Amino acid sequence: MRSKDKIAYFYDGDVGSVYFGPNHPMKPHRLCMTHHLVLSYDLHKKMEIYRPHKAYPSELAQFHSEDYVEFLHRIRPDTQNSFRTELARFNLGEDCPVFENLFEFCQIYAGGTIDAARRLNNQLCDVAINWAGGLHHAKKCEASGFCYINDLVLGILELLKHHARVLYIDIDVHHGDGVEEAFYFTDRVMTVSFHKFGDLFFPGTGDVKEIGEKEGKFYAINVPLKDGIDDTSFTRLFKTIISKVIEIYQPSSIVLQCGADSLAGDRLGCFNLSIDGKFLSLWIYPSLCIIANVTGGGGYTKENVARCWTVETGVLLDTELPNKIPENEYLEYFAPDYSLKIPSRLIENFNSKSYLSTIKVQVMENLRHIQHAPSVQMQEVPPDFYIPDFDEDEQNPDERMDQHTQDKQIQRDDEYYNGDNDNDHPAGS
């Protein structure tokens, strides 16, 4: 990390207290675990810590349709049966359930990514982290894949006020379809997604042939992968493609979605990446003078999500973390070895050298159609809709959290899985 770098870190404890349901794989509680692990390694002492503002409905409507935002604001678990037509229209249901404080949850995680972009725009930091963000599947008028509001699109729209070209990189195991769709027709945002593709894997998009259209043709890069990709294969492919993308596109800002479901052993994933292999993607920042907005994303084995995002926070801070996890409120989750790193699994890598070579050649050929970085005639920058006014006394979220909020963060008996009480894994698995 460059010595001058300032890291802004956004966190609100309330975002981790919502509950999708006992059998739902999305567990926002993982955010509390991540935050406490970050604190236990004293990483907060090297960053500026902020509680994000709750994004206003009109801010969310900068991308999403007003009627969709209004419905999210209005719907509640006890009234949803009266809105079956609207639930179907906006794709709320089993994957995207209605739960208590749904809209507040959206406001907080979206507010974090928006605030991060605004601090970057105003040169108040060099890297901004919002692990609660990264919900890349949400569309303009509907929820999708556990995602309701697409904070990444909202953050990129903020960055475009000050930056001619924004590069979006997605390393979630699932294709970053919502972000790609939002910018499919423009050359001001290049989207690059590394993901599992095929075998009816959600969301079913992300073929290497999907490259953008009209002004955005060749500015959507998809790297479809098969089951079992390992650290060596992924790292080599990632570095080759991203180096070329940056050389040609010359972005002044990068948004990185760090979905942790690409890790080995993820409940919904199928890759074989270790944390060591995954965080190599973050090494791109130390050698580049490019501001970066870093978010979370998928990740459904909670203890591994917390490990991963803590290690990646350390990478951004140029801080190597001891493998032995320090004492913290959620230490029991990391039993029995209480170690930070997770091993790869002995599973077959279906990504042959010839397959990966073919994908790389196709991507490079598409990039050759881009002669040089597109120029943009910059106009007067519109004012920020909301510029967060941070109180220095409120920078540590733990110090201003009331007891009720702290109580809500403690594990639920039906959420922490152990033996017969396991709600996070299918029966018999």
Side-chain angles (χ1 to χ4, degrees):
M1 186 180 67
R2 304 181 298 273
S3 59
K4 71 176 183 63
D5 277 356
K6 289 177 61 177
I7 311 291
Y9 172 95
F10 292 87
Y11 176 75
D12 186 320
D14 288 343
V15 80
S17 66
V18 300
Y19 189 54
F20 277 59
N23 297 313
H24 200 288
M26 175 61 92
K27 307 290 184 182
H29 188 237
R30 65 198 178 137
L31 299 166
C32 299
M33 296 172 61
T34 301
H35 181 65
H36 281 79
L37 202 53
V38 166
L39 295 178
S40 72
Y41 277 106
D42 289 333
L43 295 178
H44 60 295
K45 296 178 181 179
K46 300 181 179 182
M47 303 183 288
E48 297 176 342
I49 311 297
Y50 299 109
R51 172 172 283 185
H53 84 290
K54 293 178 182 178
Y56 294 109
S58 52
E59 289 180 283
L60 304 180
Q62 296 297 302
F63 169 61
H64 295 282
S65 64
E66 291 185 5
D67 56 346
Y68 174 58
V69 173
E70 192 274 334
F71 183 73
L72 289 179
H73 196 182
R74 178 162 45 99
I75 192 66
R76 300 192 310 274
D78 59 341
T79 63
Q80 62 178 317
N81 289 334
S82 301
F83 297 96
R84 295 186 184 277
T85 300
E86 290 87 347
L87 289 171
R89 175 187 171 193
F90 297 123
N91 199 35
L92 270 66
E94 184 176 354
D95 279 353
C96 299
V98 177
F99 51 82
E100 290 292 340
N101 300 317
L102 166 61
F103 191 68
E104 182 182 30
F105 170 68
C106 295
Q107 287 179 292
I108 293 172
Y109 78 72
T113 302
I114 293 170
D115 283 352
R118 288 173 180 158
R119 291 196 73 81
L120 291 166
N121 280 346
N122 288 284
Q123 301 179 22
L124 299 174
C125 64
D126 301 290
V127 177
I129 303 171
N130 177 32
W131 294 127
L135 278 69
H136 57 170
H137 294 306
K139 309 299 196 300
K140 182 180 180 68
C141 303
E142 67 176 46
S144 177
F146 317 156
C147 306
Y148 301 84
I149 293 294
N150 200 314
D151 63 292
L152 292 157
V153 173
L154 295 170
I156 291 170
L157 290 174
E158 285 296 322
L159 292 170
L160 288 173
K161 293 179 180 179
H162 290 252
H163 298 273
R165 293 176 300 281
V166 176
L167 173 61
Y168 172 72
I169 304 173
D170 191 314
I171 55 175
D172 195 283
V173 75
H174 300 94
H175 177 229
D177 59 333
V179 182
E180 179 185 277
E181 180 179 302
F183 301 107
Y184 207 61
F185 299 97
T186 180
D187 59 3
R188 291 198 60 197
V189 179
M190 176 173 279
T191 60
V192 185
S193 179
F194 297 78
H195 52 268
K196 155 74 176 180
F197 179 74
D199 305 323
L200 302 179
F201 194 74
F202 183 87
T205 54
D207 194 312
V208 70
K209 297 176 183 178
E210 297 171 22
I211 59 174
E213 296 180 21
K214 298 181 179 179
E215 287 81 4
K217 189 173 184 180
F218 301 116
Y219 291 91
I221 304 293
N222 283 298
V223 186
L225 302 170
K226 299 181 181 181
D227 290 6
I229 193 163
D230 56 25
D231 290 350
T232 301
S233 301
F234 183 85
T235 302
R236 183 183 299 119
L237 191 63
F238 181 92
K239 287 188 173 182
T240 300
I241 290 175
I242 293 301
S243 297
K244 193 65 175 179
V245 163
I246 291 177
E247 174 190 333
I248 293 175
Y249 192 60
Q250 298 178 26
S252 58
S253 177
I254 292 177
V255 175
L256 177 59
Q257 197 268 20
C258 294
D261 47 8
S262 52
L263 287 172
D266 186 80
R267 181 182 176 189
L268 298 185
C270 53
F271 287 173
N272 195 26
L273 301 180
S274 70
I275 289 178
D276 284 341
K278 184 174 177 297
F279 75 61
L280 286 175
S281 61
L282 290 174
W283 285 6
I284 194 169
Y285 298 114
S287 60
L288 297 168
C289 295
I290 304 177
I291 65 169
N293 194 341
V294 181
T295 74
Y300 307 99
T301 301
K302 294 184 295 184
E303 61 273 21
N304 288 348
V305 174
R307 287 179 169 108
C308 179
W309 291 345
T310 299
V311 169
E312 291 179 339
T313 302
V315 171
L316 291 168
L317 292 166
D318 196 24
T319 301
E320 186 172 351
L321 305 180
N323 189 41
K324 189 70 173 179
I325 292 177
E327 184 70 33
N328 71 86
E329 190 171 342
Y330 299 100
L331 188 62
E332 63 186 287
Y333 281 80
F334 306 101
D337 56 357
Y338 305 101
S339 65
L340 194 59
K341 304 298 176 63
I342 62 169
S344 297
R345 295 179 295 173
L346 295 176
I347 62 174
E348 184 176 356
N349 181 0
F350 288 92
N351 298 271
S352 65
K353 290 184 178 180
S354 61
Y355 174 75
L356 294 178
S357 177
T358 299
I359 294 298
K360 182 178 69 174
V361 168
Q362 288 181 271
V363 169
M364 293 301 179
E365 179 62 30
N366 291 338
L367 285 171
R368 272 193 283 273
H369 286 87
I370 302 174
Q371 297 300 319
H372 51 75
S375 60
V376 176
Q377 183 176 355
M378 299 300 287
Q379 301 175 351
E380 182 178 353
V381 177
D384 289 338
F385 178 84
Y386 171 84
I387 299 178
D389 182 16
F390 297 108
D391 187 335
E392 293 295 326
D393 294 332
E394 296 183 350
Q395 288 189 14
N396 187 335
D398 285 344
E399 293 180 358
R400 59 187 290 254
M401 217 177 281
D402 58 34
Q403 188 62 47
H404 174 68
T405 303
Q406 292 184 43
D407 291 343
K408 288 197 298 182
Q409 291 187 27
I410 303 302
Q411 69 189 52
R412 297 172 57 109
D413 291 336
D414 56 353
E415 182 163 302
Y416 177 62
Y417 54 80
N418 186 14
D420 295 336
N421 296 321
D422 185 349
N423 282 328
D424 271 1
H425 293 286
S429 64

